[in-house]
Amino acid sequence: MRIKYTIPIFFIVALVIIEKENNIISRVSDKLSLKQTPQTPLQPSRSSGSSPENGSSTALSKSASAFTLMKRRLENYSEHQGATAWGRKHILLLATTRTGSSFVGEFFNQQVDNMFYLFEPLWHVEKILTLRTGGTNATVAAKAYRDVFRQLFLCDFTLLESFIRPQPTNHVTAALFRRESSSSLCEESVCSPFIKGVFESYHCRNRRCGPLNLTMASRSCQQKEHRVIKSVRVRQLETLRPLAEDPRLDIKFIHLVRDPRAVLASRIVAFAAKYKNWKQWAMGNNVRLDDDEVKKLKGNCDNIRMSAEAGLRQPPWLRGRYMLVRYEDIARFPMKKATEMYAFTGIPFTEKVKSWIVTNTRAARRPGGVYSTQKNSAEQVEKWRFSIPFKIAQVVQKVCGPTLKLFGYKFVNSEEMLTDKSISLIEDKTFNF
Ligand SMILES: *[C@@H]1O[C@H](CO)[C@@H](O)[C@H](O)[C@H]1NC(C)=O
Ligand SMILES: *[C@@H]1O[C@H](CO)[C@@H](O)[C@H](O)[C@H]1NC(C)=O
Ligand SMILES: *[C@@H]1O[C@H](CO)[C@@H](O)[C@H](O)[C@H]1NC(C)=O
Ligand SMILES: *[C@@H]1O[C@H](CO)[C@@H](O)[C@H](O)[C@H]1NC(C)=O
């Protein structure tokens, strides 16, 4: 007698559940940002509030099969969207050296609970591909960079491993470049037991860990909601087009640029050996400035400008996927720019990140190395103007003119103008995306 009533009741319950799931489907189609933990993808919501009590086993299995059907329909839906998981974002932060990319990378690195952040994984790739002449073959490097990015975004370290020296054994390495700069690689879940006596070039500072087990890193990566990679090594945005067209990634690019005069001034200090000709020449020590040096500077500027032009042109493959950000704007209005960047990525901007930004942009200046991310940003931003002579600014303006113009950096025409604090060299400019 009881079972007779129970079964129809469970059909009703199942219908209610189906209705709820349908709601979810339509909500998702409106807004593809339904949060899912990657480990339990596409499971029906457990909080439906209709969990049947004391049912017969047949009724339970009926409702279970309704769940399965829903699950399949939901999976079907996500396949149609071509995404591996709903709302998962893959963000590539592109920059060049000395543009504040470590600092901006922290905006994402700080959100460790749902973000898998990698700091300069291409360092290893570039190192292996560097030719005896000092540079890399742009075609070969571009393809390798792209392939490594793609795998890393999918939490696969295999290809990257092949570039790490010494080569990892059993997917364990003590040599991953700047491991400690990726919070994700120093979390408890990626921290294997500390081994005494093993030398690690790069080790976690927040806890004592053994060499990096990339299998553990990959698992942790899979469990994070979003993935962010920062790189200063990509030369042409165009070379990453296949990533933008990969439906598994739904990638977005944040392109960070900075006044080339400031970049050069900063490089002369940070990479003194590499830039010693510039320094000598700046000091007027009777040194001729190498044509190669000038060509290199021009090449860098042209690459950045061409990438930005491609992004701002918004070809179909880049539509909605490209954001240009000037370092100077981030330094002067960090919270505003971080908010914009998060809005662009579609990732919620958390209190934790906000408070990190407050602490690290207004706090008193702390000592730090050349890679320090802590700086009194607004004050830093035009400091370079007092560290280079006018003639260096002139050279940069000559070879990087179109780049300066595109990004809205004012030219200076005298030493006086260069060091006149009352004149800002940063024009107000918004870049549409
Ligand atoms: C369901 O079964 C549990 C024990 O299995 C019992 O304690 C509870 O009272 C039952 N609830 C209903 C609504 O029958
Ligand atoms: C999945 O989508 C295909 C194509 O639209 C459709 O034929 C199929 O019935 C769907 N499967 C489920 C379980 O909804
Ligand atoms: C780069 O490598 C490719 C493939 O190996 C080769 O065809 C090309 O000539 C190289 N380019 C330069 C500039 O060396
Ligand atoms: C790395 O981690 C995986 C997963 O925890 C484990 O199975 C494997 O044994 C570890 N590798 C080494 C060499 O410890």
Side-chain angles (χ1 to χ4, degrees):
M1 199 55 187
R2 246 178 122 187
I3 218 111
K4 227 170 118 188
Y5 288 105
T6 320
I7 290 171
I9 285 170
F10 279 111
F11 270 117
I12 292 165
V13 168
L15 275 173
V16 168
I17 291 166
I18 288 169
E19 220 14 72
K20 282 208 171 230
E21 297 303 341
N22 273 332
N23 269 340
I24 290 176
I25 292 174
S26 53
R27 252 188 286 144
V28 165
S29 41
D30 287 346
K31 189 164 175 260
L32 253 175
S33 63
L34 181 68
K35 277 193 193 150
Q36 292 278 346
T37 50
Q39 250 342 54
T40 54
L42 315 168
Q43 266 178 19
S45 120
R46 289 197 195 94
S47 55
S48 311
S50 49
S51 83
E53 287 180 347
N54 303 18
S56 74
S57 59
T58 45
L60 267 180
S61 77
K62 274 200 172 69
S63 105
S65 73
F67 272 125
T68 314
L69 176 68
M70 276 309 106
K71 195 177 152 187
R72 231 184 287 130
R73 284 177 61 181
L74 288 165
E75 274 165 0
N76 214 9
Y77 184 82
S78 90
E79 257 165 41
H80 278 264
Q81 297 305 307
T84 40
W86 290 329
R88 169 161 291 151
K89 311 292 181 193
H90 297 91
I91 313 297
L92 197 47
L93 176 58
L94 298 171
T96 50
T97 56
R98 313 314 294 171
T99 56
S101 64
S102 301
F103 178 73
V104 177
E106 286 302 313
F107 291 6
F108 299 100
N109 190 35
Q110 289 297 317
Q111 202 167 313
V112 69
D113 30 317
N114 68 348
M115 204 94 76
F116 193 81
Y117 174 80
L118 289 175
F119 178 96
E120 296 299 334
L122 294 187
W123 183 87
H124 296 281
V125 184
E126 183 186 50
K127 194 148 194 249
I128 296 293
L129 295 183
T130 298
L131 308 166
R132 230 171 283 146
T133 55
T136 53
N137 176 318
T139 321
V140 173
K143 183 178 183 319
Y145 292 169
R146 183 171 69 222
D147 293 346
V148 170
F149 277 146
R150 190 195 311 264
Q151 275 201 355
L152 290 177
F153 275 132
L154 298 171
C155 301
D156 182 349
F157 288 84
T158 323
L159 190 55
L160 178 63
E161 277 190 40
S162 69
F163 288 99
I164 298 174
R165 297 290 178 278
Q167 276 217 308
T169 26
N170 297 323
H171 311 293
V172 173
T173 176
L176 189 90
F177 178 66
R178 303 276 308 274
R179 171 189 184 178
E180 71 280 5
S181 296
S182 304
S183 303
S184 317
L185 299 180
C186 286
E187 272 195 292
E188 194 64 53
S189 61
V190 184
C191 187
S192 52
F194 181 73
I195 307 170
K196 237 181 143 175
V198 173
F199 175 73
E200 292 188 64
S201 344
Y202 307 99
H203 55 87
C204 295
R205 298 210 191 92
N206 55 338
R207 51 171 60 92
R208 266 161 87 97
C209 299
L212 178 62
N213 180 331
L214 291 164
T215 309
M216 289 164 89
S218 169
R219 281 184 194 169
S220 174
C221 169
Q222 277 159 12
Q223 301 193 8
K224 302 285 176 168
E225 208 170 343
H226 311 297
R227 295 158 194 166
V228 181
I229 301 177
K230 158 186 129 60
S231 180
V232 294
R233 294 179 160 77
V234 172
R235 284 185 252 183
Q236 288 282 347
L237 180 62
E238 201 93 38
T239 61
L240 300 177
R241 177 168 176 171
L243 297 184
E245 289 173 339
D246 189 329
R248 292 171 299 176
L249 298 184
D250 190 14
I251 199 172
K252 288 194 174 172
F253 305 99
I254 295 180
H255 189 192
L256 179 65
V257 300
R258 184 181 183 187
D259 188 326
R261 295 166 297 193
V263 171
L264 181 60
S266 177
R267 285 182 183 166
I268 290 172
V269 175
F271 312 131
K274 224 170 141 187
Y275 283 80
K276 69 171 188 297
N277 281 352
W278 281 99
K279 185 158 192 181
Q280 293 288 321
W281 181 73
M283 293 190 312
N285 287 357
N286 238 352
V287 174
R288 251 193 61 119
L289 194 54
D290 208 324
D291 273 353
D292 277 357
E293 308 283 350
V294 179
K295 254 190 233 155
K296 233 184 277 169
L297 175 68
K298 181 168 170 21
N300 286 341
C301 280
D302 288 346
N303 279 334
I304 296 164
R305 179 179 47 80
M306 287 189 301
S307 294
E309 281 168 352
L312 297 173
R313 222 184 293 128
Q314 302 199 11
W317 65 274
L318 263 180
R319 200 151 295 154
R321 302 195 185 282
Y322 177 85
M323 179 184 192
L324 180 74
V325 190
R326 296 189 303 186
Y327 169 73
E328 292 81 2
D329 293 327
I330 291 175
R332 295 179 303 162
F333 320 109
M335 200 59 82
K336 176 170 174 272
K337 296 315 279 188
T339 308
E340 285 175 18
M341 281 161 65
Y342 266 94
F344 166 72
T345 62
I347 301 172
F349 187 25
T350 63
E351 285 307 317
K352 191 167 177 227
V353 179
K354 281 179 202 168
S355 75
W356 185 89
I357 292 172
V358 169
T359 311
N360 289 280
T361 52
R362 294 206 199 122
R365 296 253 297 281
R366 267 164 273 193
V370 288
Y371 286 112
S372 172
T373 56
Q374 292 171 340
K375 45 187 74 166
N376 194 333
S377 315
E379 185 192 317
Q380 281 303 111
V381 74
E382 298 216 65
K383 220 177 126 192
W384 65 270
R385 294 170 60 180
F386 303 92
S387 71
I388 60 166
F390 176 58
K391 66 179 188 176
I392 286 209
Q394 260 182 319
V395 175
V396 181
Q397 290 176 176
K398 196 167 159 218
V399 303
C400 299
T403 312
L404 287 159
K405 257 189 221 129
L406 177 65
F407 299 145
Y409 299 125
K410 215 175 282 169
F411 286 56
V412 292
N413 48 36
S414 67
E415 183 86 45
E416 290 67 44
M417 185 180 174
L418 176 65
T419 53
D420 183 348
K421 268 188 180 164
S422 70
I423 305 169
S424 172
L425 300 186
I426 308 155
E427 286 164 6
D428 284 336
K429 194 149 183 174
T430 43
F431 302 95
N432 296 317
F433 54 85

